[in-house]
Amino acid sequence: MALPNPALSQIPDSYKYGWHDEEMKPLHVMKKGLNAQVVEEISRIKHEPEWMTKLRLKAYRHFEARPLPMWGGDLSAIDFQDIYYYVTATDKAVQSWDDVPDYIRRTYDKLGIPEAEKKYLAGVGGQYDSEVVYHNIREDLEKQGVLFLGTDEGLQRYPEIFREYFGTVIPANDNKLAALNTAVWSGGSFIYVPKGVHVELPLQAYFRINTENMGQFERTLIIADEGSSVHYVEGCTAPTYSTASLHSAVVEIIVKKGARVRYTTIQNWSANVYNLVTKRSTVEGDGVMEWVDCNLGSKLTMKYPSIYLLGERAHGEVLSIAFAADGQHQDAGGKIIHAAPNTTSLITSKSISQGEGRTSYRGLVKVYPGCKKAKSTVRCDALLLSDEARSDTYPYMEIDEEDVTIGHEATVSKVGSEQLFYLMSRGLSEAEAAGMIVNGFIEPIVKELPMEYAVEMNRLIQLSMEGAVG
Amino acid sequence: MSEQLEIRDLEVSIGSKKILKGVSLTVNQGEVHALMGPNGSGKTSLAYTLMGHPDYHVDAGSVTWKGENLLKLTPDKRARLRVFLAFQYPSVIPGVTVASFLRNIYNAVHHPQQPSPEEAGKMPRYTGIPLAKFRKLLADKMALLKMDPAFASRYVNEGFSGGEKKRLEMLQMAILDPQMAILDETDSGLDIDALRNVAEGINATLSPEMGVLMITHYQRMLNYVTPQFVHVLLDGRIVMSGGEELSHQLEANGYDWVRQQVGLPEGVTDQAAEPEPVGQHA
Ligand SMILES: Nc1ncnc2c1ncn2[C@@H]1O[C@H](COP(=O)(O)OP(=O)(O)O)[C@@H](O)[C@H]1O
Ligand SMILES: [Mg+2]
């Protein structure tokens, strides 16, 4: 059916962040490819302490030794020697948008970040290719001892905290892509919230890849000390290129006794990005960790935010939305490890496949022996928008304790022609009707997002629909 | 000239099955027509064809509305020409609240998005009714239909009783303010109180500018909303037309009487003359 809206039909692939900043003049571009010298060179440019250089090299050897994962998505097309591992436009992060180079500033303006910072954020970070270009936090929080800075700056200014926690949740010899991140990481956010401090408004970082064949390997470390709370939001975009870029981030989160962390991701990568991210958190007694993970775009996403419930009554939640447009594969889910009694968890996954898009839910719930009264509920719902769309569920359970309550539910549904007709008879175009059905489907998760992000999420879904119906 | 829905010799099939075998009917602005007929006679098929359901294939005939060929338009375009269908079986839209749904459809019909050329390629700018104004409109219409305001925050038709579904259809009609309304068995599945309630809602929404085609299986709805014209659909054809008195004759004599009058063989599964059991579905 014809689109009612001529403007939308002109967007080639319904991807609204697809511009490329022509003017970018990189300060450092390391030649393509990876070897031990490249790893050392990155560490040298950053003036890092020796322990970090050694850790990078150790991780690099591990990356070399390990095979690519054979499950999940198809990674065989990634040529690790055809990637830029370090590209930077600036050499320091500034604290005022006026000091950000004009062309980068324009990018963030287009994304609406400076405006958002004024209105409803407690702090903002912006990363452009390899380096953080902007970081700022509200003064009152800074006074209470909250740290929110680029990870590189964190290493320089707070080496003790850093060395105590860095690589403790995701070590240098973890999976191949996490090891790659440890070897070549650059940028990301470093957050420390002192005991008992509650950061009421979200802290946000925005990651943007601008260089073709670029690898972005940001590294985020969040420590919420006892009884504190913080909500961190990340957004990610990249221009549309003909060849692939790689985004392979590592996020480590330490939730201490009675602390609470929510980590929200809304990413809309262009269709040529491999998005292979390792996110993991440890939670001490009475602590709460929540991953809210909204994945749109990319060629392939493999991401399973994990929560290790280490102390009694710790609680973990993974809320995941995956939207696979035509030709995309979203392999997403979550992992919860119950390692203490009376721990509770919830995984809610909502996936949507469009055209020949493919979503997979891949999840693990593990309960160690002796973790009595552990409780876990897993719920996966898949919505198919076409006959060619595909959805699979791989729910792994390893339960080594008898005294537990475990629930699992999965549904698959297809957008029905009767539903579409009903909505179209009320004046909605076919794309608007499908968008409304999808937005209703993800509503239980979207209502957990801050208002502005919920609105953005609904618009992104609507745009994806306009692009697909023709 | 007044607005007019003109159906001429309409033949419709689903797959290889012929359902409407030549239906002609004209509804003028301000007229209320009742279309009656036993189960399976093709009433819903006619309603769906008028609204543009993609499964119903028009083999012959024409439908014009305000002089336009309605049949070549998609359902959304028909809605924007202010044609409305109250469904016999409305769909459930999980996760979408009644309020947000109604605001979206109000905007779709009354403020379709028309971005200016310089906006091409950007996000469509929101041009609909301001939120406060819409809330007022919704509150007014819900009061008119005597609906509990809490209804607005429920998800569309999810867990609704038969009566609630029909009332939401009436609320949609009140919000969209159509010029041609087709009501498909809006009276079925209602107990006597719900029926009176819905009928009052219809009467409150009707206007002299509106044409109405009221599809019903039973006569009882017509005690509340009086038609000027009554038509009987049997086996895909309108076999009898008359004034309001025809509905009473139908109730007294049943559809077999119609078959005898027009020389059709008797129907076997025809129970339409019996009043619908009351209170069972509400
Ligand atoms: N989707 C469909 N596929 C096949 N046959 C259908 C379909 N919808 C309706 N029919 C058939 O068309 C005829 C008319 O049905 P319908 O228009 O629903 O009648 P009514 O509304 O008068 O009860 C019936 O014989 C019914 O079985
Ligand atoms: Mg019917």
Side-chain angles (χ1 to χ4, degrees):
Chain A
M1 281 175 195
L3 284 171
N5 186 335
L8 291 169
S9 61
Q10 283 159 20
I11 300 173
D13 59 355
S14 78
Y15 185 69
K16 74 163 177 159
Y17 302 118
W19 76 87
H20 163 234
D21 312 318
E22 293 290 347
E23 306 163 62
M24 182 210 181
K25 304 231 168 24
L27 198 66
H28 291 285
V29 187
M30 220 165 272
K31 67 177 174 36
K32 273 186 193 171
L34 187 60
N35 53 45
Q37 284 73 49
V38 168
V39 173
E40 281 184 305
E41 178 68 4
I42 292 172
S43 193
R44 196 189 57 76
I45 293 172
K46 293 173 175 289
H47 310 290
E48 287 179 342
E50 202 187 333
W51 70 267
M52 184 58 79
T53 316
K54 284 191 169 149
L55 188 72
R56 285 178 181 274
L57 286 167
K58 181 180 161 199
Y60 173 68
R61 286 191 296 275
H62 187 72
F63 163 76
E64 283 277 84
R66 285 200 69 154
L68 274 173
M70 295 307 287
W71 47 273
D74 180 7
L75 300 174
S76 61
I78 303 178
D79 179 353
F80 288 98
Q81 295 307 334
D82 192 37
I83 288 171
Y84 291 107
Y85 285 86
Y86 187 75
V87 178
T88 179
T90 59
D91 54 359
K92 64 174 196 311
V94 296
Q95 285 184 301
S96 158
W97 285 111
D98 294 337
D99 300 331
V100 173
D102 276 351
Y103 65 92
I104 297 182
R105 167 74 202 252
R106 277 199 291 278
T107 287
Y108 285 96
D109 279 344
K110 278 194 220 176
L111 296 166
I113 308 296
E115 215 182 292
E117 179 179 11
K118 275 181 239 144
K119 281 199 237 153
Y120 55 85
L121 296 169
V124 164
Q127 178 160 345
Y128 193 88
D129 286 341
S130 297
E131 290 290 355
V132 173
V133 294
Y134 175 84
H135 241 282
N136 195 22
I137 184 169
R138 283 199 352 211
E139 227 171 277
D140 52 325
L141 292 170
E142 202 169 9
K143 285 208 183 97
Q144 291 180 75
V146 177
L147 305 179
F148 176 46
L149 15 97
T151 309
D152 293 279
E153 201 187 341
L155 171 61
Q156 298 300 333
R157 287 177 49 191
Y158 303 95
E160 299 78 25
I161 308 183
F162 214 83
R163 202 167 177 180
E164 186 181 345
Y165 294 106
F166 187 92
T168 57
V169 183
I170 301 173
N173 61 356
D174 210 272
N175 72 70
K176 186 177 177 82
L177 286 144
L180 175 63
N181 176 285
T182 304
V184 299
W185 73 269
S186 184
S189 295
F190 171 61
I191 296 172
Y192 173 79
V193 187
K195 276 186 193 168
V197 174
H198 299 282
V199 182
E200 306 289 350
L201 291 170
L203 301 172
Q204 173 168 347
Y206 217 99
F207 299 97
R208 176 152 177 97
I209 296 179
N210 196 57
T211 301
E212 191 164 13
N213 286 46
M214 168 76 202
Q216 193 172 63
F217 304 96
E218 89 267 8
R219 179 94 185 193
T220 288
L221 177 60
I222 299 176
I223 301 135
D225 217 327
E226 292 178 15
S228 70
S229 68
V230 65
H231 182 187
Y232 177 78
V233 183
E234 63 167 355
C236 318
T237 63
T240 308
Y241 289 121
S242 53
T243 57
S245 298
L246 172 62
H247 176 248
S248 188
V250 162
V251 179
E252 296 180 283
I253 298 181
I254 292 124
V255 183
K256 300 248 180 158
K257 281 199 185 100
R260 185 177 193 109
V261 175
R262 174 174 280 204
Y263 190 109
T264 297
T265 304
I266 298 180
Q267 58 171 33
N268 185 24
W269 294 113
S270 58
N272 52 337
V273 172
Y274 284 92
N275 181 40
L276 312 167
V277 172
T278 306
K279 289 179 164 171
R280 200 175 295 161
S281 62
T282 56
V283 189
E284 295 179 3
D286 297 303
V288 175
M289 175 66 212
E290 297 163 319
W291 296 103
V292 182
D293 211 48
C294 307
N295 301 299
L296 283 91
S298 83
K299 180 183 179 67
L300 168 66
T301 288
M302 287 172 67
K303 184 156 49 144
Y304 325 96
S306 310
I307 302 174
Y308 286 69
L309 301 169
L310 303 180
E312 277 210 54
R313 292 171 304 279
H315 176 74
E317 281 189 32
V318 179
L319 303 179
S320 160
I321 295 173
F323 184 101
D326 195 25
Q328 300 178 355
H329 184 183
Q330 301 279 358
D331 198 278
K335 285 189 215 172
I336 313 258
I337 316 296
H338 291 258
N342 291 305
T343 46
T344 51
S345 67
L346 174 67
I347 299 180
T348 306
S349 156
K350 296 263 180 185
S351 71
I352 304 108
S353 327
Q354 184 183 48
E356 292 189 22
R358 179 176 171 197
T359 57
S360 320
Y361 167 79
R362 194 179 300 277
L364 169 69
V365 175
K366 186 173 174 69
V367 181
Y368 279 101
C371 299
K372 291 189 187 305
K373 305 271 185 258
K375 243 188 226 173
S376 178
T377 303
V378 178
R379 184 175 174 101
C380 327
D381 298 316
L383 182 68
L384 305 176
L385 299 182
S386 73
D387 291 330
E388 297 75 33
R390 175 173 165 188
S391 166
D392 306 288
T393 311
Y394 307 96
Y396 299 100
M397 301 271 173
E398 296 173 14
I399 315 295
D400 295 318
E401 166 61 44
E402 302 252 305
D403 183 14
V404 295
T405 313
I406 309 287
H408 174 76
E409 263 184 88
T411 65
V412 181
S413 49
K414 219 190 142 237
V415 168
S417 57
E418 297 310 313
Q419 262 181 329
L420 283 176
F421 174 58
Y422 184 63
L423 295 180
M424 289 180 75
S425 81
R426 299 313 187 229
L428 302 175
S429 69
E430 190 176 3
E432 287 166 340
M436 181 179 275
I437 293 167
V438 172
N439 279 323
F441 175 72
I442 60 176
E443 160 69 14
I445 294 178
V446 169
K447 73 169 192 272
E448 294 296 320
L449 299 175
M451 237 275 277
E452 292 74 11
Y453 300 94
V455 170
E456 177 66 3
M457 191 67 199
N458 287 343
R459 288 170 138 207
L460 287 173
I461 293 285
Q462 197 58 56
L463 264 174
S464 308
M465 296 298 135
E466 309 284 357
V469 181
Chain B
M1 195 196 86
S2 75
E3 314 292 10
Q4 192 181 56
L5 178 75
E6 190 176 7
I7 305 166
R8 281 278 158 270
D9 304 319
L10 189 65
E11 293 180 31
V12 171
S13 52
I14 304 182
S16 58
K17 185 175 178 186
K18 193 81 155 184
I19 293 170
L20 299 183
K21 300 163 185 168
V23 171
S24 297
L25 182 65
T26 300
V27 180
N28 288 303
Q29 195 172 34
E31 290 177 356
V32 177
H33 290 243
L35 181 70
M36 304 185 71
N39 271 330
S41 57
K43 302 183 297 294
T44 295
S45 300
L46 177 63
Y48 274 13
T49 306
L50 293 176
M51 207 63 230
H53 192 297
D55 291 351
Y56 291 75
H57 187 259
V58 176
D59 302 318
S62 66
V63 178
T64 54
W65 162 243
K66 298 181 182 177
E68 278 207 57
N69 175 4
L70 207 55
L71 296 176
K72 66 175 205 304
L73 302 177
T74 52
D76 52 320
K77 297 212 174 79
R78 300 182 196 200
R80 277 177 236 142
L81 289 178
R82 312 287 290 280
V83 179
F84 178 82
L85 168 62
F87 280 59
Q88 185 178 1
Y89 303 110
S91 291
V92 179
I93 315 291
V96 178
T97 62
V98 165
S100 127
F101 171 69
L102 291 174
R103 183 153 163 253
N104 271 286
I105 68 175
Y106 178 88
N107 284 331
V109 168
H110 295 283
H111 299 274
Q113 276 168 352
Q114 300 286 354
S116 56
E118 61 269 21
E119 277 187 306
K122 287 193 206 154
M123 292 294 291
R125 191 75 38 85
Y126 178 67
T127 53
I129 183 172
L131 192 55
K133 211 172 149 197
F134 179 75
R135 287 209 179 113
K136 171 93 176 63
L137 175 72
L138 181 57
D140 289 351
K141 297 299 182 188
M142 288 181 82
L144 187 70
L145 299 179
K146 302 197 180 73
M147 294 171 84
D148 179 357
F151 200 73
S153 47
R154 292 175 66 185
Y155 293 150
V156 175
N157 288 321
E158 194 172 72
F160 280 27
S161 70
E164 286 171 330
K165 285 184 181 170
K166 296 300 162 82
R167 293 175 76 185
L168 179 56
E169 295 296 291
M170 289 308 100
L171 181 58
Q172 292 177 54
M173 180 164 88
I175 292 280
L176 294 182
D177 186 24
Q179 292 162 345
M180 178 66 220
I182 305 153
L183 312 183
D184 190 0
E185 302 215 19
T186 299
D187 54 342
S188 67
L190 302 183
D191 65 28
I192 207 76
D193 292 334
L195 178 70
R196 186 182 310 116
N197 203 304
V198 164
E200 280 169 5
I202 296 174
N203 279 327
T205 311
L206 289 188
S207 74
E209 287 79 47
M210 212 192 254
V212 178
L213 182 60
M214 200 160 43
I215 294 172
T216 179
H217 193 91
Y218 303 101
Q219 193 271 336
R220 58 180 204 171
M221 178 73 149
L222 307 180
N223 294 334
Y224 298 95
V225 187
T226 313
Q228 294 104 323
F229 305 92
V230 175
H231 313 272
V232 180
L233 189 68
L234 257 186
D235 303 335
R237 285 192 183 88
I238 291 182
V239 294
M240 250 190 202
S241 292
E244 202 223 329
E245 71 291 345
L246 178 54
S247 70
H248 298 288
Q249 286 173 313
L250 272 174
E251 180 165 62
N253 304 323
Y255 288 110
D256 277 341
W257 167 76
V258 179
R259 288 180 206 275
Q260 282 161 14
Q261 295 288 305
V262 301
L264 279 169
E266 276 190 21
V268 262
T269 58
D270 184 5
Q271 298 139 3
E274 289 158 34
E276 187 183 21
V278 155
Q280 234 167 262
H281 312 272

